């Protein structure tokens, strides 16, 4: 199918970067359409490891174009840093990278505000990445945003920025936070502007023409469905729509054009930041999975909370996105466990209820209904054929497929591009 999307069906960090990088091999365009540099997508090939926060993960492939479309919020410094890394790797970005003028900018005061709000929440902090994401999107919604478009005319930008920064500085002062130095930040932004200008181009026309010509377009979702602004246990959310509808608003391509929705599911649950995780586990088992899986935030380095795979939540994700194919990742990390649990539903006060019926207070209290499976001892990271997997592993995978009613695209058993089991 010419237009596909890769989206995370849990709380983020499902391994989307690896999958996008792999599928981008047979794509003409790869597109980020939501979120900002709160995302951290890892790709590994050979001995090299790259972390992308803003640039689409498939950019390494030879004939691919990478688009950052209008739904993304851009921190210029972070983007430029990634561009520098890629250019040092010999990638000619001039031929590959397009930045939509409609993207909103994350500016210095957004990061200060993010931190100030978190500090003010004290013990009730949400655990944001402090990258300024919420404040940048809230400026967008309240017509106080400044876009990449505004960078095109420096005098106009300077005026907008000075007005906004003065307003934000008044708020920062009430928090007792040092205000943003407007002159200094403007001089840095002036340099950043020059670096970004050659890449600014209307992304809609490019994508629309590509779609009409049946070019292969791959959308790279950021975060996960359980973090969606509308469908997460708000306020334990991120500030963009991670559901499939985000592609339409965040890139302009019609929803109907998206043929294949590939849902990425980690074989267990991980979560960075606060908020309810019904299947969370603690203690030695959680620590062992975290260490073996390297479950530390790609963006912030925070240890990820760990839990069993929550199929009640993932079933919701499959439905709301009409997921057509599944990729299970990190199955290799579960090797060596005597037993493995899967959450197949929730109860609250003895009554069954679904994920969509829960606000964060209910989700904090629900009791997961578990089905327990025998584990497997063999290391499966070298397995490439389904038939070669241990019997217990096949039982686990078959149960998930049947429960969710979605077929597998493949199963991932390692961070490398080719570490996949054909199903
Ligand atoms: P993303 O945000 O969804 O792209 O995921 P992250 O990059 O934040 O975190 C996923 C981590 O798991 C990265 O370190 C990947 O290199 C790694 N990874 C992805 N798939 C697999 C897998 O199947 N097995 C193992 N062991 N690691 C994987
Ligand atoms: P990828 O694309 C994991 C979480 C944060 C926090 C909440 C709000 O790598 O899967 P924000 O900074 O967005 O305002 O923080 O959302 N969060 C993520 N967690 N992976 C991500 O992205 C995330 N993006 C945001 O930890 O709980
Ligand atoms: Mg990540």
């Amino acid at each position: 199918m010419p237009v596909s999307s890769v989206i995370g069906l849990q709380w983020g960090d499902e391994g989307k970067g690896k999958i996008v990088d792999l599928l981008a091999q047979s794509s003409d365009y790869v597109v980020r359409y939501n979120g900002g540099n709160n995302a951290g997508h890892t790709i590994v090939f050979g001995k090299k490891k790259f972390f992308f926060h803003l640039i689409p993960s498939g950019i390494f492939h030879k004939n691919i174009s990478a688009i950052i479309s209008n739904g993304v919020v851009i921190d210029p410094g972070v983007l430029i840093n990634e561009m520098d890394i890629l250019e040092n790797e010999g990638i000619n970005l001039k031929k590959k990278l397009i930045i939509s003028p409609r993207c909103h900018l994350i500016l210095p005061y957004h990061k200060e505000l993010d931190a100030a709000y978190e500090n003010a929440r004290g013990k009730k902090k949400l655990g944001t990445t402090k990258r300024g994401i919420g404040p940048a999107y809230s400026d967008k919604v309240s017509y106080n945003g400044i876009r990449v478009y505004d960078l095109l005319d420096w005098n106009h930008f300077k005026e907008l920025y000075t007005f906004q920064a003065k307003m934000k500085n008044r708020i920062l002062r009430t928090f007792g936070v040092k205000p943003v130095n407007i002159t200094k930040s403007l001089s840095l932004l002036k340099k950043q502007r020059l670096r970004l200008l050659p890449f600014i181009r209307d992304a809609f026309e490019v994508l629309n023409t590509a779609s009409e010509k049946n070019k292969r377009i791959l959308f790279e979702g950021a975060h996960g469905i359980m973090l969606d602004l509308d469908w997460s246990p708000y306020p334990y959310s991120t500030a963009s729509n991670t559901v499939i509808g985000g592609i339409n608003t965040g890139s302009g391509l019609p929803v109907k054009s998206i043929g294949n929705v590939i849902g990425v599911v980690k074989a267990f649950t991980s979560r960075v930041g606060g908020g309810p995780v019904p299947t969370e586990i603690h203690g030695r088992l959680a620590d062992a999975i975290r260490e073996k899986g390297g479950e530390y935030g790609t963006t912030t380095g925070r240890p990820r909370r760990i839990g069993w795979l929550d199929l009640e939540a993932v079933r919701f994700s499959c439905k709301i996105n009409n997921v057509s194919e599944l990729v299970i990742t990190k199955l290799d990390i579960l090797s060596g466990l005597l037993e493995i649990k899967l959450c197949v539903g929730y109860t609250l006060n003895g009554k069954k209820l679904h994920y969509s019926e829960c606000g964060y207070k209910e989700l904090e209290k629900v009791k997961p209904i578990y089905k327990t499976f025998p584990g497997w001892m063999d290391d499966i990271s070298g397995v490439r054929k389904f038939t070669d997997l241990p019997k217990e592993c096949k039982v686990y995978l078959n149960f998930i497929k049947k429960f969710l009613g979605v077929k597998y695209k493949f199963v991932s058993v390692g961070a490398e591009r080719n570490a996949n089991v054909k199903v």
Side-chain angles (χ1 to χ4, degrees), residues 149-294:
Y149 170 82
D150 298 308
L151 278 176
L152 297 174
D153 175 344
W154 178 246
N155 285 332
H156 162 74
F157 178 87
K158 221 165 63 177
E159 199 181 308
L160 283 181
Y161 180 78
T162 306
F163 175 72
Q164 287 297 330
K166 279 185 179 164
M167 207 161 32
K168 301 304 189 306
N169 278 347
R170 293 219 295 267
I171 304 172
L172 289 172
R173 278 193 201 96
T174 66
F175 282 107
V177 174
K178 208 170 124 201
V180 165
N181 182 321
I182 299 178
T183 317
K184 248 189 179 171
S185 50
L186 264 175
S187 101
L188 178 60
L189 281 158
K190 194 171 185 184
K191 285 190 204 125
Q192 292 172 331
R193 167 183 180 267
L194 291 179
R195 175 82 165 106
L196 295 180
L197 281 181
F199 302 94
I200 303 171
R201 185 173 161 200
D202 177 38
F204 175 75
E205 270 311 315
V206 175
L207 273 175
N208 191 46
T209 308
S211 171
E212 280 171 3
K213 287 187 177 163
N214 266 337
K215 296 281 183 195
R216 297 157 305 174
I217 302 171
L218 181 64
F219 285 98
E220 175 176 8
H223 331 305
I225 301 308
M226 266 58 241
L227 294 168
D228 181 275
L229 183 57
D230 288 85
W231 294 100
S232 56
Y234 187 91
Y236 297 101
S237 320
T238 190
S240 65
N241 281 115
T242 59
V243 294
I244 200 77
I247 293 183
N248 179 224
T249 55
S251 80
L253 268 208
V255 175
K256 229 178 158 184
S257 65
I258 307 158
N260 204 10
V261 180
I262 300 152
V264 186
V265 179
K266 199 180 269 190
F268 47 96
T269 292
S270 74
R271 169 72 160 114
V272 260
V277 177
T279 60
E280 185 166 13
I281 52 174
H282 299 277
R284 279 166 65 181
L285 179 58
D287 293 345
I289 294 175
R290 183 180 305 107
E291 291 313 311
K292 188 171 178 194

Side-chain angles (χ1 to χ4, degrees), residues 12-16 38-42 297-299 304:
D13 305 327
E14 296 88 352
K16 301 174 293 291
N38 46 347
H41 297 178
T42 315
T298 308
T299 299
R304 294 176 183 152

